[in-house]
Each structure stands twice: as C-alpha cells, then as structure tokens.
Amino acid sequence: MSLCTIMIIDDTADHRDMLSRLLRAVGYRVLEASPGEAALNQARGERPDLILTALSLPGQPAWETARLLRDQPALANTPILGASVYNPLLTPARAEALGCADYVDKPFDLDDLLRRIMQLLPGAPALLAA
C-alpha cells in the first residue's frame, strides 16, 4: 500500500519542519513548499492526497492561496486543509467557500489536526485510528 502524501505550504520553515516531522512519524509521505508559484507547480506535478496550507501568506491577499490551489484542474479533487492564526473573519463556512475541505486554527492542537487529516484521507495510516 502506498503512503498518503500531504503537502505543507507555509511561509515559516519552522512550521513546515515541525509539521513534517509529526506527519512522517505517523506514516505520511510529506512534501514541503514555500508559498508562491513554485508551490502551485509542485502541487500540480506531485498531486498530493491532501494540501495543508496557511491561508494568510506574505505577498498574497488573505486566503488567496486556497483559491489559487482550487483553481488548478489537476487539484480539483484534492482536499485542502486551511490553517490560520485566529481571525474572527475566517470561519469554517468562509474557509469552505474559499475551497477548503476543512479549517484549523494555529497554533495547532496536534490531536485535532491529526483527527481532521484522518477524516479527509480515507487511506490514513492505521496508527491514527488507534
């Protein structure tokens, strides 16, 4: 059975590194990307099973990342899990309207993050189900 692949898009290398280590430890294949056109190209080429992206990134209007990802035909069925520091304007309904399958607040509750990933990926590692 092949590993599910999660792409992490975040402007902070420390965030990407922490999430990568966590997700690899529970059995996922992880791709890391800084925001921008290179991340979009990498996502189109790699076709991850899920994209975990910060929704507010430098150089882009807030939440533009989710829209840009959702507009990619190759990623039309890829679930996007949006993440952002608390913002009263960003509700789960707003995140869904932006094309996200789900939304989590930063800083992450790691158990909640893993639970949401498992819900979005039918092939989640068995370790998560325990």
Side-chain angles (χ1 to χ4, degrees):
M1 181 169 121
S2 64
L3 298 175
C4 292
T5 301
I6 297 175
M7 176 178 236
I8 299 167
I9 302 174
D10 198 296
D11 59 312
T12 305
D14 288 344
H15 292 168
R16 290 191 312 267
D17 181 60
M18 181 271 304
L19 288 168
S20 290
R21 285 186 283 122
L22 169 74
L23 295 172
R24 284 186 179 111
V26 295
Y28 291 106
R29 178 175 172 258
V30 179
L31 306 170
E32 294 182 42
S34 294
E37 190 63 33
L40 293 174
N41 290 336
Q42 184 179 2
R44 280 191 300 261
E46 296 278 350
R47 295 200 180 183
D49 299 298
L50 180 137
I51 298 171
L52 172 58
T53 184
L55 293 177
S56 296
L57 294 167
Q60 292 181 349
W63 316 313
E64 182 71 2
T65 301
R67 187 194 64 75
L68 291 171
L69 289 165
R70 187 51 59 223
D71 286 349
Q72 303 300 311
L75 303 172
N77 296 316
T78 303
I80 297 172
L81 178 56
S84 184
V85 295
Y86 174 76
N87 182 330
L89 299 177
L90 184 57
T91 63
R94 173 74 175 139
E96 184 179 337
L98 294 166
C100 294
D102 202 352
Y103 166 79
V104 292
D105 285 318
K106 290 180 180 181
F108 299 112
D109 172 310
L110 296 179
D111 290 333
D112 182 52
L113 176 65
L114 291 174
R115 181 183 54 75
R116 289 169 188 265
I117 289 170
M118 188 173 70
Q119 289 173 343
L120 292 171
L121 289 176
L127 179 60
L128 289 177

